[in-house]
């Protein structure tokens, strides 16, 4: 009896070990399917990136001869007022746009998940800006800010509206925030709708029985339960707005002067102007900033996968 039990235990234990090894082992065919994507990513992203970082330590203009200059480009970046201005504008623009987009998107999501008529059709309408090219949106709003609004301001006698916002160095950024938010709200809205639909209806029913008002339910139930989605939208939005380019080009092209020139515009303008190595150092710093934001996103969203 003992021998039989021992042999049975050995068979079961060995079978368990084989099952665990089989579970951990990855089929070679998976690597075969992964290889093309990995190869394309390496050739199109990794290799050019490493080459660019290499040339950031040179005086290259993009073609011809070059020589190593060490950290000269990086040291010059931190004393260049144009570079610092572009970072300040980009950071301020990103913060302002994140706040505007998330507030509007959250309020719209609350409305579009409430018991209202035609909410499915309204959801479709509100996501239309997401599928339109940013440069097209920028050109349309450029016409509105430069022609339609000044004409309306003149007819209404509103002096502050008679001139284009895009020509005002102090207010041009407001126009950029408005247009960027108009395009970015739909994507953020969809994430908030998904978050609100994941909240159990029983929670609100219990709150109704306890006499909680709609405002109290919003602030004490809805907001805490979708906090994870708020964090995701804020981090993703901020990281995306740091790369602002096409809408700014279509609206102001960095003007008036350099008042609305973003980091991405500064880098690309430097490439086109023969300042390759210097702006490659700028791009490297900008890449490090993006990586740090991505790490922040991972740390804040870790453990929220259940949402």
């Amino acid at each position: 009896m003992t021998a039989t039990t021992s042999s049975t235990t050995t068979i079961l234990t060995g079978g368990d070990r084989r099952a665990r090894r089989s579970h951990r082992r990855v089929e070679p065919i998976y690597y075969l399917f992964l290889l093309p994507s990995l190869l394309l990513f390496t050739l199109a992203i990794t290799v050019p990136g490493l080459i660019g970082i290499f040339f950031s330590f040179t005086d290259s203009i993009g073609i011809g001869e070059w020589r190593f200059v060490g950290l000269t480009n990086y040291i010059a970046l931190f004393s260049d007022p144009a570079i610092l201005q572009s970072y300040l504008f980009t950071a301020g623009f990103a913060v302002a746009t994140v706040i505007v987009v998330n507030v509007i998107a959250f309020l719209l999501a609350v409305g579009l998940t409430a018991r209202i008529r035609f909410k499915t059709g309204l959801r479709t309408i509100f996501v239309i800006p997401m599928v339109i090219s940013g440069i097209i949106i920028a050109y349309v709003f450029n016409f509105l800010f430069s022609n339609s609004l000044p004409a309306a301001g003149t007819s209404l006698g509103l002096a502050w509206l008679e001139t284009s916002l895009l020509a005002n160095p102090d207010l041009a950024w407001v126009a950029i925030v408005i247009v960027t938010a108009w395009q970015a709200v739909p994507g953020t809205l969809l994430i908030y709708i998904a978050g609100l639909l994941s909240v159990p209806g029983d929670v609100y029913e219990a709150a109704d029985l306890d006499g909680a008002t709609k405002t109290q339910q919003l602030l004490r139930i809805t907001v805490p339960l979708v906090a994870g989605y708020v964090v995701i939208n804020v981090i993703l939005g901020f990281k995306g707005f740091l790369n602002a380019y096409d809408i700014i080009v279509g609206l102001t092209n960095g003007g008036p002067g350099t008042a609305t020139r973003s980091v991405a515009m500064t880098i690309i303008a430097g490439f086109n102007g023969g300042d390759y190595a210097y702006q490659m150092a700028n791009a490297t710093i900008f890449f490090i900033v993006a990586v740090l934001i991505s790490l922040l996103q991972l740390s804040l969203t870790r453990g929220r996968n259940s949402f």
Side-chain angles (χ1 to χ4, degrees):
M1 182 68 178
T2 303
T4 303
T5 303
S6 177
S7 61
T8 302
T9 302
T10 302
I11 293 173
L12 291 175
T13 304
D16 291 341
R17 282 199 297 267
R18 286 192 296 271
R20 285 195 296 268
R21 284 198 299 268
S22 177
H23 179 72
R24 289 196 299 265
R25 189 170 64 87
V26 178
E27 295 293 337
I29 190 66
Y30 294 155
Y31 293 113
L32 182 61
F33 282 115
L34 179 63
L35 183 60
S37 299
L38 182 61
L39 183 62
L40 288 174
F41 182 85
T42 301
L43 294 178
I45 304 296
T46 306
V47 172
L50 293 176
I51 293 175
I53 293 174
F54 171 80
F55 277 109
S56 70
F57 296 98
T58 70
D59 62 354
S60 173
I61 60 172
I63 57 174
E65 298 181 354
W66 50 267
R67 61 186 179 85
F68 282 105
V69 294
L71 297 175
T72 301
N73 291 326
Y74 291 92
I75 295 173
L77 283 175
F78 293 99
S79 59
D80 188 338
I83 297 296
L84 297 178
Q85 169 63 27
S86 67
Y87 274 88
L88 288 175
F89 166 76
T90 303
F93 158 76
V95 170
T97 309
V98 161
I99 294 173
V100 172
V101 167
N102 279 273
V103 170
I104 295 176
F106 182 78
L107 294 177
L108 286 175
V110 171
L112 293 176
T113 53
R115 297 176 181 176
I116 60 173
R117 299 178 62 184
F118 310 117
K119 62 182 179 181
T120 303
L122 289 174
R123 291 178 189 175
T124 304
I125 294 173
F126 278 116
V127 299
I128 289 177
M130 188 173 62
V131 300
I132 303 176
S133 170
I135 195 68
I136 294 176
I137 293 173
Y139 284 139
V140 171
F141 275 92
N142 190 324
F143 179 83
L144 294 177
F145 285 124
S146 301
N147 298 279
S148 301
L149 288 181
T154 302
S155 62
L156 295 174
L158 300 176
W160 63 273
L161 198 58
E162 291 179 357
T163 57
S164 173
L165 288 177
L166 302 178
N168 189 328
D170 298 323
L171 297 178
W173 68 272
V174 176
I176 297 174
V177 169
I178 292 173
V179 178
T180 304
W182 190 82
Q183 186 190 34
V185 162
T188 308
L189 171 65
L190 292 177
I191 295 177
Y192 279 134
I193 288 177
L196 292 172
L197 293 177
S198 68
V199 178
D202 297 342
V203 177
Y204 295 107
E205 293 178 3
D208 285 330
L209 294 176
D210 290 338
T213 63
K214 294 299 181 183
T215 302
Q216 289 174 330
Q217 292 180 24
L218 176 65
L219 297 178
R220 299 183 181 182
I221 297 177
T222 304
V223 173
L225 289 179
V226 299
Y229 295 92
V230 175
V231 172
I232 292 172
N233 274 330
V234 168
I235 298 298
L236 290 179
F238 187 76
K239 186 169 62 176
F241 298 142
L242 287 179
N243 297 316
Y245 179 76
D246 52 351
I247 287 180
I248 298 178
V249 169
L251 286 176
T252 65
N253 198 28
T258 58
T260 60
R261 176 169 287 189
S262 66
V263 177
M265 288 190 66
T266 303
I267 293 172
I268 294 176
F271 288 163
N272 295 333
D275 208 3
Y276 177 78
Y278 184 62
Q279 292 303 330
M280 188 54 69
N282 190 12
T284 302
I285 297 295
F286 195 50
F287 169 74
I288 294 173
V289 172
V291 170
L292 292 176
I293 294 175
S294 298
L295 294 176
L296 175 63
Q297 174 195 346
L298 290 175
S299 64
L300 292 177
T301 58
R302 185 174 298 148
R304 300 184 185 271
N305 295 332
S306 57
F307 291 178

